[in-house]
Amino acid sequence: LQRSQQMKRSAWLAPAPCRLNSGLPMNIGVLFVPQQEAWVVERMGKFHRILEPGLNFLIPLLDRIRYVQSLKEIVINVPEQSAVTLDNVTLQIDGVLYLRVMDPYKASYGVEDPEYAVTQLAQTTMRSELGKLSLDRVFRERESLNANIVDAINQASDCWGIRCLRYEIKDIHVPPRVKESMQMQVEAERRKRATVLESEGTRESAINVAEGQKQAQILASEAEKAEQINKAAGREANAMLVKARAKAEAIQLLAAALAQQHGSAAASLSVAEQYVSAFAKLAKDSNTLLLPANTGDVTNMVAQALGIYTALSKPQAVKAQEEMPPACEDPQPPATEVLKAEQAGSS
């Protein structure tokens, strides 16, 4: 009988599901509720009120503390589960869920075990979201994946009085063969990047070398140009002036020599000699010969050369005579006229 009474009492005071506390507090009439906790009170089996933090008074035997809800942020480990991606790769994934009770009434009467319900919802949502992504996108879009899971949990847990603050993926385990393939892909990508960087370095080096050679050639050509200008302005200019003066003096001497007696004959002889020697050199310089029709007649050739010289010298002689001043008239009569006058007087 005593044992049965203890069993009835234990059934009457059976602890309801709660977080944070191992048992429910006893109703002694005066209760002190801790901060960030909500105690759900039932009066004769029906919901009565929620006790706020601080001093509270209850009626013994009629009021009973049925649930104790923690209003702090709750961290729940989501067990490891398997999921298949869009490209048929099986992954083992686990996470961490952060919750907070927003409505103690709904959390107490809306669902039997809120933690278990939210954990199962997080697992099913994770599997459905992973099925929409390929393996590469799973690693790149972890933040968007976490955000989608949080939105799906909040839509379903609104009627439970629980709000999911965030969800974080802890570990993603891939099969060994897939892991090896990913490692090979990473190595190939790194080799590709190294090859690209090396080729870019080679290209930059070649461009720099070509640019240096171009600048060197430009500078060399400018230096050569400046040197030629200096030479032309200096030594070569003086040499040309000296040659021009020497040629002018030679022409003056030649003109003076031609003006002397028998100068024209000497010039004719020189021209004839040069004319004959020019025909003698034609066969030595080239295989093509340009000969006049009377090549065998040397006398005719010399006469032709003298005629060329005479034709060139006549205009100069005429021009010289035109430039000479006119002669003065002699006031004395010529000698013949004087003799005739003397003979007429004697007669």
Side-chain angles (χ1 to χ4, degrees):
L1 180 61
Q2 185 178 3
R3 185 175 180 181
S4 62
Q5 290 178 355
Q6 290 178 357
M7 291 178 63
K8 288 180 181 180
R9 185 176 181 180
S10 61
W12 174 255
L13 300 176
C18 68
R19 292 171 292 276
L20 204 70
N21 292 333
S22 59
L24 295 175
M26 296 294 295
N27 182 8
I28 57 176
V30 179
L31 299 175
F32 297 94
V33 180
Q35 186 68 32
Q36 288 297 98
E37 286 189 10
W39 292 5
V40 180
V41 178
E42 293 180 354
R43 176 168 289 181
M44 292 182 295
K46 184 179 179 180
F47 173 76
H48 177 56
R49 68 190 179 99
I50 297 174
L51 301 182
E52 298 294 335
L55 179 61
N56 293 274
F57 297 96
L58 296 177
I59 302 175
L61 299 178
L62 295 180
D63 295 335
R64 179 187 177 189
I65 300 173
R66 184 63 176 171
Y67 298 99
V68 175
Q69 302 290 348
S70 175
L71 302 180
K72 299 178 182 178
E73 187 173 349
I74 304 169
V75 181
I76 302 176
N77 288 322
V78 179
E80 186 177 0
Q81 60 177 338
S82 62
V84 181
T85 61
L86 184 63
D87 49 357
N88 297 326
V89 178
T90 304
L91 301 178
Q92 298 293 329
I93 188 168
D94 56 358
V96 180
L97 192 62
Y98 298 86
L99 303 174
R100 176 173 289 175
V101 176
M102 307 302 295
D103 190 347
Y105 177 80
K106 291 182 179 180
S108 300
Y109 297 101
V111 62
E112 182 65 27
D113 190 350
E115 293 182 2
Y116 179 77
V118 172
T119 303
Q120 295 299 318
L121 181 60
Q123 289 181 343
T124 55
T125 307
M126 172 63 72
R127 283 193 291 266
S128 63
E129 292 295 332
L130 285 177
K132 301 176 183 178
L133 302 176
S134 60
L135 180 61
D136 296 334
R137 294 182 60 189
V138 169
F139 293 99
R140 292 197 303 266
E141 300 182 4
R142 294 182 65 170
E143 294 183 0
S144 62
L145 182 62
N146 295 335
N148 294 335
I149 294 173
V150 170
D151 294 338
I153 293 174
N154 287 331
Q155 291 177 4
S157 64
D158 186 26
C159 60
W160 300 341
I162 298 174
R163 182 174 181 81
C164 179
L165 301 179
R166 57 188 178 275
Y167 181 88
E168 298 293 338
I169 298 174
K170 290 199 301 184
D171 296 322
I172 299 176
H173 302 282
V174 297
R177 293 185 178 179
V178 177
K179 189 175 182 180
E180 293 177 0
S181 301
M182 294 173 62
Q183 187 67 27
M184 294 174 61
Q185 182 179 0
V186 170
E187 293 178 358
E189 185 68 23
R190 292 185 179 276
R191 286 196 298 269
K192 175 184 175 182
R193 291 168 58 185
T195 304
V196 171
L197 291 176
E198 185 178 359
S199 63
E200 290 179 355
T202 304
R203 184 186 66 178
E204 294 293 334
S205 176
I207 291 174
N208 293 336
V209 171
E211 189 69 23
Q213 293 178 356
K214 176 183 176 181
Q215 294 294 334
Q217 291 180 359
I218 291 174
L219 293 176
S221 62
E222 291 179 354
E224 185 178 359
K225 177 182 177 181
E227 183 180 2
Q228 292 178 358
I229 291 173
N230 293 333
K231 287 182 178 179
R235 184 178 60 188
E236 294 183 359
N238 295 330
M240 292 175 64
L241 290 174
V242 171
K243 290 181 179 179
R245 290 172 183 173
K247 188 174 182 181
E249 292 178 358
I251 293 174
Q252 291 177 0
L253 294 176
L254 181 60
L258 291 175
Q260 294 179 2
Q261 188 178 4
H262 304 294
S264 300
S268 301
L269 178 61
S270 177
V271 171
E273 291 177 354
Q274 292 179 4
Y275 187 81
V276 173
S277 62
F279 278 95
K281 293 180 180 180
L282 287 176
K284 295 180 180 179
D285 297 335
S286 175
N287 295 330
T288 304
L289 299 178
L290 298 175
L291 299 177
N294 54 353
T295 306
D297 192 357
V298 179
T299 304
N300 189 13
M301 291 171 59
V302 173
Q304 185 178 0
L306 293 176
I308 293 172
Y309 173 75
T310 304
L312 293 174
S313 59
K314 280 183 178 181
Q316 295 180 358
V318 172
K319 185 176 180 180
Q321 291 179 2
E322 291 178 354
E323 292 178 354
M324 290 178 62
C328 300
E329 294 182 358
D330 191 2
Q332 299 294 330
T336 55
E337 293 180 358
V338 171
L339 292 175
K340 289 180 179 181
E342 290 179 352
Q343 290 177 5
S346 62
S347 60

